[in-house]
């Protein structure tokens, strides 16, 4: 079907745009020999895993369910990191994962032997205590009091013999300069241990597919770890994989006025793009401009009861009318993985736009999906 015929609300992932990102990432892998994994927390649209698996080394999971998804749908290297594993899940996680990363030495003490017996590659997440993002505590794993990773003070060299690698994740939508700064801190604090290990995982938050990202500097950082310590280098970006590769198509349901023009659309910031409220940010809307740049400015809001369910203010060439279709950009990442049915909102359908421009709905949802999560 054509893009215009898709039902709304609908997430649409454009295979061509996704592949463009994958080629950039694969180029980094080919030139450096590093391995790049899909962090499924950002993007778990497994209908695209056959395409992703052509370019990347595997999947990174946050726990059992994502690990299962990677194992079942991608079937390549499967890595898992969780801040704390559950006793009743660890056996299943070990059965389907290649790398398991522990957030503390107490978790390593608890589950390390089991992981060793299962023949898994074991890592520990470190916290290099190097904040490179100012004023973003919510997204900074190095913020004071963070629960993520072992700081140097709590590192246990006596347990080094149990592990093969170190993992850190400290960035969020950042450039290679922030990675270089972080590596300085990692080397200063943990460099003495790196010679004894096999791999290092540089986590996610690398905005590699964003225009202007300094790929040569990233590659220099990777080579620095490979050449200095003889390590296999892993990266596990989420955003960079499907950045700007997806859309959320919505329909205007009504327009009204209250000191300004308002349009209610059939998608909700709160349910379908929660990062818009959490981060917060103004999502790109195709064909629109910032407030007052075009003659007709509207506040777009969702149909839920939450007063703050406001997507943002945009200006248009023409007045909006009920039935108009609007298309939000950059809606593949941290969107469908985070959606919910608050207020009984329908979940958007999920579609793929192939290279010929043809669209195919791969999943649609209805009342049962809302009901089955309740009792
Ligand atoms: C451990 C870990 N790895 C990878 C990622 C992916 O980060 P991003 O989507 O910003 O690249 C995250 C994001 O929170 C993370 O916590």
């Amino acid at each position: 079907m054509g893009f215009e015929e898709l039902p709304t609300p609908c997430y649409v992932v454009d295979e061509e745009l996704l592949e463009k990102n994958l080629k950039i990432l694969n180029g980094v892998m080919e030139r450096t020999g590093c391995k790049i994994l899909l962090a499924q927390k950002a993007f778990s649209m497994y209908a695209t895993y056959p395409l992703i698996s052509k370019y990347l080394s595997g999947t990174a999971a946050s726990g059992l369910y994502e690990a299962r998804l990677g194992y079942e749908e991608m079937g390549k290297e499967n890595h898992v990191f969780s801040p704390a594993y559950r006793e009743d899940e660890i056996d299943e996680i070990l059965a389907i994962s290649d790398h398991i990363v522990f957030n503390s030495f107490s978790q390593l003490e608890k589950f390390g032997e089991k992981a060793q017996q299962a023949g898994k590659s074991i890592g520990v997440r470190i916290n290099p205590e190097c904040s490179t993002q100012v004023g973003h505590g919510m997204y900074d794993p190095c913020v004071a009091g963070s629960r993520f990773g072992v700081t140097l003070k709590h590192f246990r060299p006596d347990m080094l013999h149990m592990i093969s690698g170190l993992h850190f994740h400290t960035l969020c939508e950042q450039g290679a300069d922030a990675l270089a700064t972080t590596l300085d801190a990692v080397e200063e604090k943990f460099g003495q241990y790196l010679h004894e290990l096999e791999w290092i995982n540089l986590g996610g938050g690398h905005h590699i597919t964003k225009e202007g990202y300094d790929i040569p500097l990233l590659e220099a950082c990777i080579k620095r770890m490979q050449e200095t310590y003889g390590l296999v280098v892993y990266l596990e970006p989420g955003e960079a994989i499907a950045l700007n590769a997806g859309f959320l198509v919505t329909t205007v349901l009504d327009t009204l006025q209250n000191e300004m023009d308002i349009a209610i659309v059939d998608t909700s910031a709160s349910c379908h793009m929660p990062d818009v409220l959490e981060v917060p940010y103004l999502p790109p809307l195709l064909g629109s401009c910032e407030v007052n740049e075009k003659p007709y400015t509207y506040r777009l809001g969702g149909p839920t009861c939450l007063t703050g369910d406001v997507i943002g203010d945009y200006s248009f060439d023409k007045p909006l009318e009920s039935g108009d279709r609007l298309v939000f950009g950059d809606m593949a990442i941290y969107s469908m993985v985070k959606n919910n049915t608050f207020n009984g909102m329908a979940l958007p359908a999920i579609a793929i736009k192939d290279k010929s421009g043809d669209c195919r709905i791969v999943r649609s949802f209805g009342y049962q999906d809302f009901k089955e999560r309740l009792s």
Side-chain angles (χ1 to χ4, degrees):
M1 70 175 67
F3 195 87
E4 292 307 316
E5 295 164 80
L6 288 167
T8 70
C10 185
Y11 297 113
V12 189
V13 168
D14 184 319
E15 274 187 338
E16 200 168 353
L17 297 174
L18 180 61
E19 193 162 23
K20 192 173 137 205
N21 288 342
L22 293 168
K23 284 184 172 158
I24 294 171
L25 297 166
N26 187 263
V28 174
M29 287 170 54
E30 299 233 299
R31 285 186 297 275
T32 62
C34 79
K35 298 190 181 197
I36 300 186
L37 310 166
L38 161 70
Q40 295 176 100
K41 69 191 72 191
F43 184 67
S44 304
M45 185 179 164
Y46 55 89
T48 62
Y49 283 13
L51 175 67
I52 296 174
S53 72
K54 284 209 267 177
Y55 294 98
L56 301 187
S57 302
T59 37
S62 321
L64 175 61
Y65 291 173
E66 283 185 1
R68 263 189 76 171
L69 192 69
Y71 177 76
E72 289 172 9
E73 299 294 333
M74 180 92 70
K76 295 185 81 175
E77 273 194 50
N78 207 18
H79 294 218
V80 58
F81 161 77
S82 173
Y85 295 96
R86 297 172 60 99
E87 301 245 19
D88 58 356
E89 290 184 352
I90 195 73
D91 289 336
E92 199 177 344
I93 287 176
L94 289 173
I96 56 177
S97 308
D98 301 295
H99 280 214
I100 181 158
V101 176
F102 295 107
N103 190 49
S104 67
F105 280 92
S106 52
Q107 283 268 295
L108 178 63
E109 270 178 332
K110 194 168 176 187
F111 298 121
E113 224 172 273
K114 251 185 182 207
Q116 273 182 329
Q117 277 160 12
K120 304 300 160 178
S121 193
I122 301 173
V124 163
R125 178 165 173 172
I126 50 167
N127 182 337
E129 298 172 89
C130 173
S131 283
T132 50
Q133 29 181 332
V134 186
H136 288 103
M138 174 93 160
Y139 296 95
D140 181 2
C142 292
V143 74
S146 163
R147 67 190 183 285
F148 294 122
V150 181
T151 57
L152 182 61
K153 189 173 165 199
H154 299 281
F155 198 77
R156 296 264 311 264
D158 60 305
M159 292 189 76
L160 210 54
H161 63 281
M162 289 191 71
I163 67 175
S164 310
L166 293 183
H167 175 293
F168 68 82
H169 168 78
T170 63
L171 309 182
C172 180
E173 298 188 341
Q174 283 172 278
D177 51 341
L179 174 62
T181 304
T182 304
L183 284 182
D184 290 342
V186 167
E187 284 198 271
E188 191 196 313
K189 296 193 161 88
F190 301 96
Q192 54 184 315
Y193 308 121
L194 290 175
H195 292 284
E196 296 173 49
L197 299 171
E198 290 166 23
W199 54 262
I200 187 162
N201 186 323
L202 314 183
H206 315 279
H207 237 179
I208 305 168
T209 50
K210 192 181 173 194
E211 227 175 272
Y213 184 92
D214 189 346
I215 289 180
L217 179 56
L218 169 68
E219 294 180 358
C221 287
I222 293 168
K223 286 190 180 137
R224 170 175 159 191
M225 290 294 108
Q226 291 169 327
E227 286 162 13
T228 317
Y229 305 101
L231 295 168
V232 174
V233 176
Y234 287 92
L235 286 93
E236 48 178 39
E239 283 218 27
I241 280 130
L243 187 69
N244 291 317
F247 305 91
L248 178 52
V249 192
T250 186
T251 300
V252 175
L253 299 177
D254 194 19
T255 57
L256 50 122
Q257 284 80 35
N258 180 1
E259 306 290 327
M260 65 182 300
D261 286 312
I262 298 166
I264 297 174
V265 295
D266 68 356
T267 189
S268 152
S270 175
C271 299
H272 307 146
M273 42 180 117
D275 268 8
V276 164
L277 304 182
E278 267 179 36
V279 173
Y281 79 102
L282 182 73
L285 178 62
L286 275 56
S288 77
C289 282
E290 281 182 24
V291 172
N292 295 332
E293 275 185 30
K294 291 191 175 203
Y296 301 98
T297 290
Y298 284 82
R299 173 158 298 168
L300 303 184
T304 71
C305 65
L306 178 73
T307 305
D309 189 359
V310 169
I311 301 162
D313 296 352
Y314 301 86
S315 67
F316 301 86
D317 290 322
K318 297 188 301 181
L320 291 182
E321 282 175 18
S322 152
D324 283 351
R325 287 163 70 93
L326 301 174
V327 181
F328 292 99
D330 200 19
M331 281 292 155
I333 46 174
Y334 295 107
S335 54
M336 52 189 111
V337 290
K338 288 184 111 174
N339 63 17
N340 65 76
T341 57
F342 177 52
N343 275 217
M345 282 290 298
L347 295 171
I350 299 177
I352 290 182
K353 180 166 170 258
D354 70 20
K355 285 180 194 155
S356 70
D358 204 43
C359 293
R360 171 170 59 94
I361 295 173
V362 288
R363 184 84 202 264
S364 40
F365 303 92
Y367 170 66
Q368 286 305 329
D369 297 288
F370 162 67
K371 188 178 176 190
E372 276 168 18
R373 292 172 61 213
L374 302 166
S375 70

